[in-house]
Amino acid sequence: MDRRARHYRSNLRIERDNAALYERLSELATDERLRRAYRRIAEGEQANAAFWEAQLTQMGVQVPPARIGARVKVLTWFARRFGTEFVMPTVVRLEHADHLPTPVDREGHRNHFLEAQAPAARSGRHRTQSGNTLRAAVLGANDGLVSNGSLVMGMAGAAAGDHAILLAGFAGLVAGACSMALGEWLSVNSSREFYQAQIAARAERLAVSPEDGRRSLVGIYRQKGMDAKVAEELAAQMAERPRTALDTLVREDLGIDPDELGGSAYGAAISSFCLFALGALFPVAPYLFLHGHSAFIASIASTIAGLVLIGMGTALFTGRSMVFSIARQLGITVAAAGITYVVGHALGTALAG
């Protein structure tokens, strides 16, 4: 099969996956407008898939049977349990990653896609925050697994005993999880304090010079395409309610949501601690049940299993293929673990000699 045929088959697979994903989202959506928008997008993706099928047929290449990809199944699982808005940040990324040059009306598709995003945005930003939390969870677990896996390999390279490896592994787990939790707590609180200072400065400026605030509101509405006279009238009405004007300026001009300000610092700290610890547990857990060479092999196998899961999770948010994400995850971890194993072995030999 030549390169062009492989490219067409890849496009067909992407369009089929997109069609299946939006079809399932239309079945799961509780908002009627969302349901209609998802269904229209699914119909467009089906038309695109038919286009690539026709291209393959004209080339004399057999059209592969339809098969739902793992990414669609996982996103459907999350949408079924947490709502369709929960997976929308990931779907947005996949839309950009999988944009294909198909002669079918992409502008109409884009309009339907924006229509689908609008009700989700109105339903509250906490669902987008949930999507971001899920991505942070994957990254946190990855940090724990890679760092503690490297630590365990370094101790094994130094020919340390099982108890020493176990002790070092759990020490690395607790220390790393505490560091992650504290860092996340400080990060969220620092962001919150910065946002609060920005809001306070804007509130003071609005109180001292309401006319500047009114002009800023006019500029915001004009940028949105509003007629100059209408924008002036709306800004004048808004200026009569200082709290509403401040809220609008903060959201539109500074890009800050006053209701969130970075989320809960304690929630971020607790989730970071738990997820780092979960990832760090993979390489050290086998030493709780096995000993010697068996524990070492089991630790490698457990680490690989964890990396595969994390690679699959990463693929959901990057739009890259799962094979690529898993291979990249394994390559990076093998390099880090290999270096620490060699260093540990060298230090162990030097100290023993």
Short mmCIF file of all heavy atoms in Angstrom, two decimals, residues 213-257:
data_model
loop_
_atom_site.label_atom_id
_atom_site.label_comp_id
_atom_site.label_asym_id
_atom_site.label_seq_id
_atom_site.Cartn_x
_atom_site.Cartn_y
_atom_site.Cartn_z
N GLY A 213 -13.55 53.33 33.54
CA GLY A 213 -14.19 52.02 33.51
C GLY A 213 -15.22 51.93 32.41
O GLY A 213 -15.33 50.91 31.72
N ARG A 214 -15.99 53.01 32.23
CA ARG A 214 -17.01 53.02 31.17
C ARG A 214 -16.36 52.91 29.80
O ARG A 214 -16.84 52.17 28.94
CB ARG A 214 -17.85 54.30 31.27
CG ARG A 214 -19.06 54.30 30.36
CD ARG A 214 -19.74 55.67 30.36
NE ARG A 214 -18.85 56.68 29.79
CZ ARG A 214 -18.66 56.85 28.47
NH1 ARG A 214 -19.28 56.05 27.61
NH2 ARG A 214 -17.85 57.78 28.04
N ARG A 215 -15.25 53.63 29.60
CA ARG A 215 -14.56 53.56 28.31
C ARG A 215 -13.99 52.16 28.07
O ARG A 215 -14.00 51.67 26.94
CB ARG A 215 -13.44 54.61 28.26
CG ARG A 215 -13.94 56.02 27.98
CD ARG A 215 -12.80 56.92 27.55
NE ARG A 215 -11.85 57.12 28.65
CZ ARG A 215 -11.92 58.13 29.50
NH1 ARG A 215 -12.88 59.03 29.40
NH2 ARG A 215 -11.01 58.24 30.46
N SER A 216 -13.51 51.52 29.14
CA SER A 216 -13.00 50.15 28.99
C SER A 216 -14.11 49.20 28.58
O SER A 216 -13.92 48.32 27.74
CB SER A 216 -12.36 49.69 30.31
OG SER A 216 -11.23 50.46 30.64
N LEU A 217 -15.29 49.39 29.17
CA LEU A 217 -16.43 48.54 28.82
C LEU A 217 -16.84 48.75 27.37
O LEU A 217 -17.15 47.80 26.65
CB LEU A 217 -17.61 48.83 29.76
CG LEU A 217 -17.46 48.35 31.20
CD1 LEU A 217 -18.59 48.92 32.06
CD2 LEU A 217 -17.48 46.83 31.26
N VAL A 218 -16.84 50.03 26.94
CA VAL A 218 -17.17 50.32 25.54
C VAL A 218 -16.17 49.61 24.61
O VAL A 218 -16.56 49.00 23.60
CB VAL A 218 -17.15 51.83 25.28
CG1 VAL A 218 -17.28 52.12 23.79
CG2 VAL A 218 -18.28 52.52 26.04
N GLY A 219 -14.89 49.68 24.96
CA GLY A 219 -13.88 49.02 24.14
C GLY A 219 -14.08 47.51 24.07
O GLY A 219 -13.92 46.90 23.01
N ILE A 220 -14.47 46.91 25.19
CA ILE A 220 -14.70 45.46 25.22
C ILE A 220 -15.86 45.09 24.30
O ILE A 220 -15.76 44.15 23.51
CB ILE A 220 -14.99 45.01 26.67
CG1 ILE A 220 -13.72 45.12 27.51
CG2 ILE A 220 -15.53 43.58 26.70
CD1 ILE A 220 -13.95 44.89 28.99
N TYR A 221 -16.96 45.84 24.40
CA TYR A 221 -18.13 45.52 23.58
C TYR A 221 -17.88 45.82 22.11
O TYR A 221 -18.41 45.11 21.23
CB TYR A 221 -19.35 46.30 24.09
CG TYR A 221 -19.79 45.86 25.46
CD1 TYR A 221 -20.06 46.79 26.47
CD2 TYR A 221 -19.93 44.51 25.77
CE1 TYR A 221 -20.46 46.40 27.73
CE2 TYR A 221 -20.33 44.11 27.04
CZ TYR A 221 -20.58 45.05 28.01
OH TYR A 221 -20.97 44.65 29.27
N ARG A 222 -17.08 46.85 21.83
CA ARG A 222 -16.76 47.15 20.43
C ARG A 222 -15.92 46.03 19.82
O ARG A 222 -16.10 45.67 18.66
CB ARG A 222 -15.99 48.48 20.35
CG ARG A 222 -16.85 49.70 20.68
CD ARG A 222 -17.81 50.03 19.57
NE ARG A 222 -17.10 50.55 18.40
CZ ARG A 222 -17.43 50.30 17.15
NH1 ARG A 222 -18.46 49.50 16.89
NH2 ARG A 222 -16.75 50.83 16.14
N GLN A 223 -14.99 45.48 20.62
CA GLN A 223 -14.16 44.37 20.14
C GLN A 223 -15.00 43.13 19.84
O GLN A 223 -14.62 42.30 19.02
CB GLN A 223 -13.09 44.03 21.16
CG GLN A 223 -11.98 45.07 21.25
CD GLN A 223 -10.94 44.72 22.29
OE1 GLN A 223 -11.07 43.73 23.02
NE2 GLN A 223 -9.89 45.53 22.37
N LYS A 224 -16.12 43.01 20.51
CA LYS A 224 -17.02 41.89 20.26
C LYS A 224 -17.89 42.11 19.03
O LYS A 224 -18.72 41.25 18.70
CB LYS A 224 -17.90 41.64 21.49
CG LYS A 224 -17.14 41.11 22.70
CD LYS A 224 -18.08 40.92 23.87
CE LYS A 224 -17.33 40.33 25.06
NZ LYS A 224 -16.89 38.95 24.83
N GLY A 225 -17.73 43.26 18.38
CA GLY A 225 -18.48 43.53 17.15
C GLY A 225 -19.74 44.32 17.36
O GLY A 225 -20.55 44.45 16.42
N MET A 226 -19.94 44.88 18.54
CA MET A 226 -21.16 45.62 18.83
C MET A 226 -21.10 47.02 18.23
O MET A 226 -20.02 47.62 18.14
CB MET A 226 -21.36 45.69 20.36
CG MET A 226 -22.73 46.18 20.79
SD MET A 226 -22.93 46.06 22.60
CE MET A 226 -22.94 44.28 22.82
N ASP A 227 -22.24 47.52 17.79
CA ASP A 227 -22.34 48.87 17.25
C ASP A 227 -21.92 49.89 18.31
O ASP A 227 -22.14 49.70 19.50
CB ASP A 227 -23.77 49.15 16.81
CG ASP A 227 -23.94 50.54 16.24
OD1 ASP A 227 -23.50 50.77 15.11
OD2 ASP A 227 -24.48 51.39 16.96
N ALA A 228 -21.26 50.97 17.86
CA ALA A 228 -20.70 51.95 18.80
C ALA A 228 -21.78 52.54 19.72
O ALA A 228 -21.58 52.66 20.93
CB ALA A 228 -20.00 53.06 18.02
N LYS A 229 -22.94 52.91 19.15
CA LYS A 229 -24.00 53.52 19.96
C LYS A 229 -24.55 52.53 20.98
O LYS A 229 -24.74 52.87 22.16
CB LYS A 229 -25.11 54.00 19.04
CG LYS A 229 -26.23 54.71 19.79
CD LYS A 229 -27.30 55.22 18.82
CE LYS A 229 -28.42 55.92 19.60
NZ LYS A 229 -29.49 56.42 18.68
N VAL A 230 -24.75 51.29 20.55
CA VAL A 230 -25.26 50.26 21.46
C VAL A 230 -24.25 49.97 22.56
O VAL A 230 -24.60 49.81 23.74
CB VAL A 230 -25.60 48.96 20.69
CG1 VAL A 230 -26.04 47.87 21.65
CG2 VAL A 230 -26.67 49.24 19.66
N ALA A 231 -22.97 49.94 22.18
CA ALA A 231 -21.91 49.68 23.17
C ALA A 231 -21.87 50.80 24.21
O ALA A 231 -21.69 50.54 25.41
CB ALA A 231 -20.57 49.55 22.47
N GLU A 232 -22.04 52.06 23.77
CA GLU A 232 -22.05 53.19 24.71
C GLU A 232 -23.21 53.08 25.68
O GLU A 232 -23.06 53.30 26.89
CB GLU A 232 -22.15 54.51 23.92
CG GLU A 232 -20.90 54.90 23.16
CD GLU A 232 -19.87 55.56 24.07
OE1 GLU A 232 -20.17 55.76 25.25
OE2 GLU A 232 -18.77 55.86 23.56
N GLU A 233 -24.40 52.75 25.15
CA GLU A 233 -25.58 52.65 26.01
C GLU A 233 -25.43 51.51 27.03
O GLU A 233 -25.76 51.68 28.20
CB GLU A 233 -26.82 52.43 25.14
CG GLU A 233 -27.17 53.62 24.26
CD GLU A 233 -28.34 53.32 23.33
OE1 GLU A 233 -28.78 52.13 23.31
OE2 GLU A 233 -28.81 54.24 22.63
N LEU A 234 -24.94 50.37 26.55
CA LEU A 234 -24.78 49.23 27.44
C LEU A 234 -23.72 49.52 28.51
O LEU A 234 -23.90 49.18 29.69
CB LEU A 234 -24.38 47.99 26.64
CG LEU A 234 -24.30 46.67 27.41
CD1 LEU A 234 -25.62 46.36 28.09
CD2 LEU A 234 -23.91 45.53 26.46
N ALA A 235 -22.63 50.16 28.12
CA ALA A 235 -21.58 50.49 29.08
C ALA A 235 -22.09 51.50 30.12
O ALA A 235 -21.73 51.41 31.30
CB ALA A 235 -20.36 51.05 28.36
N ALA A 236 -22.91 52.46 29.67
CA ALA A 236 -23.47 53.45 30.61
C ALA A 236 -24.38 52.77 31.63
O ALA A 236 -24.35 53.09 32.83
CB ALA A 236 -24.23 54.52 29.82
N GLN A 237 -25.20 51.84 31.17
CA GLN A 237 -26.07 51.10 32.09
C GLN A 237 -25.24 50.26 33.06
O GLN A 237 -25.54 50.18 34.25
CB GLN A 237 -27.03 50.21 31.30
CG GLN A 237 -28.03 50.98 30.46
CD GLN A 237 -28.90 50.06 29.63
OE1 GLN A 237 -28.84 48.84 29.79
NE2 GLN A 237 -29.69 50.64 28.74
N MET A 238 -24.18 49.66 32.54
CA MET A 238 -23.33 48.82 33.37
C MET A 238 -22.60 49.65 34.43
O MET A 238 -22.42 49.23 35.57
CB MET A 238 -22.31 48.09 32.50
CG MET A 238 -21.55 47.00 33.21
SD MET A 238 -22.50 45.48 33.37
CE MET A 238 -22.57 44.95 31.66
N ALA A 239 -22.19 50.85 34.06
CA ALA A 239 -21.45 51.71 34.98
C ALA A 239 -22.30 52.13 36.17
O ALA A 239 -21.76 52.51 37.22
CB ALA A 239 -20.93 52.94 34.24
N GLU A 240 -23.62 52.09 36.03
CA GLU A 240 -24.50 52.44 37.14
C GLU A 240 -24.52 51.35 38.21
O GLU A 240 -24.99 51.60 39.32
CB GLU A 240 -25.92 52.68 36.61
CG GLU A 240 -26.02 53.88 35.67
CD GLU A 240 -27.41 54.02 35.08
OE1 GLU A 240 -28.28 53.17 35.42
OE2 GLU A 240 -27.64 54.97 34.30
N ARG A 241 -24.02 50.17 37.88
CA ARG A 241 -23.93 49.06 38.86
C ARG A 241 -22.45 48.69 38.99
O ARG A 241 -21.95 47.83 38.26
CB ARG A 241 -24.76 47.88 38.39
CG ARG A 241 -26.24 48.18 38.26
CD ARG A 241 -27.05 46.93 37.94
NE ARG A 241 -26.76 46.45 36.60
CZ ARG A 241 -27.37 46.88 35.49
NH1 ARG A 241 -28.29 47.83 35.57
NH2 ARG A 241 -27.06 46.38 34.31
N PRO A 242 -21.73 49.36 39.89
CA PRO A 242 -20.28 49.18 40.01
C PRO A 242 -19.83 47.73 40.18
O PRO A 242 -18.83 47.30 39.61
CB PRO A 242 -19.90 50.01 41.24
CG PRO A 242 -20.98 51.05 41.32
CD PRO A 242 -22.22 50.37 40.85
N ARG A 243 -20.59 46.96 40.96
CA ARG A 243 -20.19 45.56 41.20
C ARG A 243 -20.26 44.76 39.90
O ARG A 243 -19.36 43.97 39.59
CB ARG A 243 -21.08 44.93 42.26
CG ARG A 243 -20.69 43.50 42.62
CD ARG A 243 -21.59 42.96 43.71
NE ARG A 243 -21.42 43.69 44.94
CZ ARG A 243 -20.48 43.43 45.85
NH1 ARG A 243 -19.61 42.45 45.62
NH2 ARG A 243 -20.39 44.13 46.96
N THR A 244 -21.34 44.97 39.12
CA THR A 244 -21.47 44.27 37.85
C THR A 244 -20.41 44.73 36.87
O THR A 244 -19.83 43.93 36.12
CB THR A 244 -22.87 44.52 37.26
OG1 THR A 244 -23.87 44.10 38.20
CG2 THR A 244 -23.06 43.75 35.96
N ALA A 245 -20.12 46.04 36.86
CA ALA A 245 -19.09 46.57 35.97
C ALA A 245 -17.72 45.98 36.31
O ALA A 245 -16.96 45.60 35.41
CB ALA A 245 -19.05 48.09 36.07
N LEU A 246 -17.43 45.89 37.60
CA LEU A 246 -16.14 45.32 38.03
C LEU A 246 -16.05 43.86 37.62
O LEU A 246 -15.01 43.41 37.11
CB LEU A 246 -15.99 45.46 39.54
CG LEU A 246 -14.74 44.81 40.15
CD1 LEU A 246 -13.49 45.47 39.57
CD2 LEU A 246 -14.76 44.93 41.67
N ASP A 247 -17.13 43.13 37.83
CA ASP A 247 -17.13 41.72 37.47
C ASP A 247 -16.89 41.54 35.97
O ASP A 247 -16.11 40.67 35.55
CB ASP A 247 -18.47 41.08 37.86
CG ASP A 247 -18.49 39.59 37.62
OD1 ASP A 247 -18.01 38.83 38.47
OD2 ASP A 247 -18.99 39.16 36.55
N THR A 248 -17.52 42.38 35.16
CA THR A 248 -17.35 42.29 33.71
C THR A 248 -15.93 42.65 33.29
O THR A 248 -15.32 41.98 32.46
CB THR A 248 -18.35 43.23 33.01
OG1 THR A 248 -19.69 42.87 33.38
CG2 THR A 248 -18.21 43.13 31.50
N LEU A 249 -15.38 43.71 33.89
CA LEU A 249 -14.02 44.12 33.55
C LEU A 249 -13.00 43.05 33.94
O LEU A 249 -12.05 42.78 33.20
CB LEU A 249 -13.68 45.44 34.26
CG LEU A 249 -14.35 46.70 33.70
CD1 LEU A 249 -14.10 47.88 34.62
CD2 LEU A 249 -13.81 47.00 32.31
N VAL A 250 -13.21 42.45 35.09
CA VAL A 250 -12.28 41.42 35.56
C VAL A 250 -12.33 40.21 34.64
O VAL A 250 -11.29 39.64 34.27
CB VAL A 250 -12.60 41.03 37.01
CG1 VAL A 250 -11.85 39.77 37.41
CG2 VAL A 250 -12.23 42.17 37.95
N ARG A 251 -13.52 39.80 34.27
CA ARG A 251 -13.68 38.62 33.41
C ARG A 251 -13.19 38.87 31.99
O ARG A 251 -12.49 38.04 31.41
CB ARG A 251 -15.15 38.18 33.38
CG ARG A 251 -15.66 37.59 34.68
CD ARG A 251 -17.13 37.25 34.57
NE ARG A 251 -17.68 36.77 35.82
CZ ARG A 251 -17.67 35.51 36.22
NH1 ARG A 251 -17.13 34.60 35.44
NH2 ARG A 251 -18.20 35.15 37.37
N GLU A 252 -13.59 40.02 31.43
CA GLU A 252 -13.33 40.26 30.02
C GLU A 252 -11.96 40.90 29.77
O GLU A 252 -11.26 40.53 28.84
CB GLU A 252 -14.42 41.17 29.43
CG GLU A 252 -15.82 40.59 29.51
CD GLU A 252 -16.00 39.40 28.58
OE1 GLU A 252 -15.18 39.24 27.66
OE2 GLU A 252 -16.96 38.65 28.78
N ASP A 253 -11.60 41.88 30.61
CA ASP A 253 -10.36 42.62 30.38
C ASP A 253 -9.14 41.89 30.95
O ASP A 253 -8.07 41.86 30.33
CB ASP A 253 -10.47 44.01 31.02
CG ASP A 253 -9.48 44.99 30.43
OD1 ASP A 253 -8.96 44.71 29.35
OD2 ASP A 253 -9.23 46.04 31.07
N LEU A 254 -9.29 41.27 32.13
CA LEU A 254 -8.16 40.60 32.77
C LEU A 254 -8.18 39.09 32.55
O LEU A 254 -7.19 38.41 32.82
CB LEU A 254 -8.17 40.88 34.28
CG LEU A 254 -8.05 42.36 34.70
CD1 LEU A 254 -8.09 42.49 36.21
CD2 LEU A 254 -6.76 42.96 34.14
N GLY A 255 -9.32 38.56 32.08
CA GLY A 255 -9.40 37.11 31.86
C GLY A 255 -9.43 36.32 33.14
O GLY A 255 -8.93 35.18 33.21
N ILE A 256 -9.99 36.88 34.21
CA ILE A 256 -10.03 36.24 35.53
C ILE A 256 -11.47 35.94 35.89
O ILE A 256 -12.35 36.78 35.71
CB ILE A 256 -9.39 37.14 36.61
CG1 ILE A 256 -7.92 37.41 36.28
CG2 ILE A 256 -9.52 36.51 37.98
CD1 ILE A 256 -7.28 38.42 37.22
N ASP A 257 -11.72 34.76 36.41
CA ASP A 257 -13.04 34.41 36.91
C ASP A 257 -13.04 34.65 38.42
O ASP A 257 -12.41 33.90 39.17
CB ASP A 257 -13.35 32.94 36.62
CG ASP A 257 -14.78 32.57 37.01
OD1 ASP A 257 -15.43 33.39 37.69
OD2 ASP A 257 -15.24 31.47 36.64
#
